[in-house]
Amino acid sequence: MNSKETFLQISALILFACIATWVELQVIGAPPEIVFLREDKLYSHLPAEGVQTSGKDRGEHGSETTTLPTVDKYCADNKCDISDLLAVIYISIGTTKNLFESGEAQFIDARKRDDYVEGHIPYAINMPVISFSSGWPDEIQLLMKELRAVVYCDGLSCDASQLVAKHLVRYGFERVLIIELGFPGWEEKGYPIETGEGDA
Amino acid sequence: MASEKNRRRPLIHWVLFSMRMVLGGIFSFSAWSKIMSPQALADAIVGFEIIPESIVLESAIMLIWLELICGIFMILGLWARATVIVITGMLTLFEIGLISVVVRGIEVNCGCFGQFSEMAVGWETIIRNMVQLVFCASLLYYGSWKYSLDLIVKVRQRIKQGLPGWRSN
């Protein structure tokens, strides 16, 4: 078999795959966009419109903070209502504490199991990103869709909370929150911490 | 030269045929396990932190279809040489991605077999891929395509042209 024939066959194989991909994308359509925003009063010294670059600003305590637009700003710019969006909102430690005390939220720890066992927010369920690789993890049955889902990992340097939040939105949670400063922020404030395997 | 040696060692035909079936089976099964939920593979690819997120879903779907087409063609022995080359290319890219993830210490599932893959990427995954690459290299080197559609088509073409059958090739 000559090289030219082989080359044409390779091209044909790749072309078939491209055509099949195009057809499937037309059939399934684009997945709904999940928007990441921050709560309005989060680090109010930052401009509401956010910053155009992908860099991070320094917050009050020298910690990094997100430059995502606020909910109000985004909805005003896009003439939409928050209830129409698939949105994940970054919240402050203060808001987190309020939700924890009110019992209106369930906490999801997106870090690795070892980090979770060393210390986590009380009653938090451990669901690292890898647990979603083979479909929905068993722990997701422990969550109630009526309660807000608050996800955290190690703060802004960690992407795990974003990935887990996306999975929860796709699972059907209407409002998923992410603790912006993560577990380090909670721990720094001296708030209650639980160690060990927890309930999950 | 390789085909001359092959004629004197019929056992190698069966070994290479088995390798072809194994590779075709692995790729077909891998594609089948992911075809209904490409988003899951896309999420796994995001975890590798190699491909930009904006094209991850398209890349995942393209990969699944390429795996399926190559897997089926490999089993049938259709365009066998070209299919092995494409599979070799895919395995090489996978290997680079896997090694990169292990070296960077990222904990992620490879997503190779969809809902059936529960293991995090590690050296076992890398070695498994290496074995498949060895299969591909063997198939390309020996060029034996016993019980393949390619061979049947070639023989029929030769008969039509009035040339002797495959034993005289």
Side-chain angles (χ1 to χ4, degrees):
Chain A
M1 181 172 296
N2 60 49
S3 305
K4 188 180 172 186
E5 202 173 330
T6 306
F7 175 76
L8 286 172
Q9 288 170 357
I10 291 171
S11 305
L13 286 169
I14 295 171
L15 183 63
F16 291 161
C18 289
I19 293 169
T21 302
W22 180 82
V23 169
E24 181 160 347
L25 285 170
Q26 299 306 308
V27 169
I28 65 174
E33 191 188 350
I34 298 172
V35 181
F36 287 86
L37 305 170
R38 60 183 168 96
E39 64 173 347
D40 299 316
K41 299 219 169 39
L42 181 65
Y43 294 103
S44 56
H45 67 284
L46 290 177
E49 65 270 17
V51 176
Q52 296 305 314
T53 65
S54 60
K56 295 189 173 78
D57 290 331
R58 292 279 160 188
E60 295 174 354
H61 305 290
S63 57
E64 293 183 0
T65 185
T66 182
T67 57
L68 296 167
T70 62
V71 173
D72 283 351
K73 176 70 181 162
Y74 184 88
C75 289
D77 288 348
N78 293 279
K79 296 182 177 51
C80 60
D81 191 75
I82 187 66
S83 57
D84 300 329
L85 300 173
L86 280 178
V88 174
I89 301 173
Y90 281 83
I91 57 173
S92 65
I93 295 295
T95 304
T96 306
K97 186 67 163 57
N98 292 340
L99 285 168
F100 176 76
E101 286 171 348
S102 70
E104 290 174 0
Q106 49 209 335
F107 291 83
I108 294 104
D109 191 322
R111 299 173 300 161
K112 295 178 189 175
R113 190 77 185 160
D114 292 341
D115 294 332
Y116 171 83
V117 169
E118 275 183 27
H120 53 267
I121 294 175
Y123 311 113
I125 295 170
N126 185 219
M127 279 201 285
V129 177
I130 197 168
S131 63
F132 289 88
S133 299
S134 316
W136 304 115
D138 295 335
E139 290 82 1
I140 212 165
Q141 305 297 331
L142 300 171
L143 302 176
M144 289 180 281
K145 288 186 184 173
E146 307 82 53
L147 296 178
R148 288 165 182 265
V150 181
V151 188
Y152 68 89
C153 59
D154 286 322
L156 284 172
S157 59
C158 165
D159 292 333
S161 51
Q162 246 195 36
L163 293 170
V164 170
K166 279 188 189 174
H167 284 301
L168 292 175
V169 169
R170 287 191 208 117
Y171 186 71
F173 280 89
E174 286 192 358
R175 193 64 67 231
V176 178
L177 312 173
I178 296 178
I179 305 174
E180 187 183 46
L181 294 179
F183 186 72
W186 177 272
E187 197 176 19
E188 195 185 299
K189 287 285 188 182
Y191 292 149
I193 290 172
E194 196 176 66
T195 57
E197 297 280 325
D199 291 331
Chain B
M1 196 66 172
S3 58
E4 206 36 62
K5 286 183 188 170
N6 290 348
R7 262 206 292 278
R8 293 191 227 116
R9 289 183 290 179
L11 179 63
I12 203 159
H13 288 301
W14 293 107
V15 171
L16 294 170
F17 174 73
S18 306
M19 285 180 180
R20 215 183 86 214
M21 290 298 113
V22 166
L23 274 177
I26 288 173
F27 272 73
S28 302
F29 175 72
S30 173
W32 171 80
S33 65
K34 295 180 295 213
I35 205 158
M36 296 310 291
S37 54
Q39 187 63 53
L41 176 63
D43 292 336
I45 293 174
V46 166
F48 276 68
E49 299 177 13
I50 294 174
I51 296 179
E53 214 169 317
S54 53
I55 58 167
V56 153
L57 182 62
E58 290 81 358
S59 305
I61 295 174
M62 167 96 178
L63 190 63
I64 292 169
W65 281 108
L66 200 54
E67 281 185 347
L68 184 65
I69 292 168
C70 288
I72 292 172
F73 275 39
M74 185 70 113
I75 290 170
L76 295 175
L78 185 60
W79 296 357
R81 186 177 173 78
T83 305
V84 171
I85 292 172
V86 172
I87 287 179
T88 305
M90 283 197 281
L91 285 170
T92 306
L93 288 174
F94 296 162
E95 196 73 346
I96 293 169
L98 292 170
I99 292 172
S100 131
V101 159
V102 169
V103 163
R104 286 182 289 161
I106 299 172
E107 190 184 66
V108 68
N109 187 302
C110 79
C112 306
F113 300 105
Q115 57 181 323
F116 301 106
S117 50
E118 294 186 356
M119 236 172 24
V121 168
W123 290 108
E124 305 87 0
T125 327
I126 291 171
I127 290 167
R128 188 184 68 203
N129 249 43
M130 285 276 195
V131 169
Q132 292 177 65
L133 276 168
V134 166
F135 283 12
C136 289
S138 305
L139 285 166
L140 285 173
Y141 176 73
Y142 287 103
S144 163
W145 311 112
K146 195 174 180 65
Y147 301 122
S148 65
L149 280 178
D150 279 347
L151 193 59
I152 294 171
V153 166
K154 197 173 177 180
V155 166
R156 288 174 71 127
Q157 276 175 346
R158 290 182 65 84
I159 291 170
K160 265 188 190 174
Q161 290 165 7
L163 295 168
W166 69 273
R167 283 193 183 277
S168 304
N169 287 348

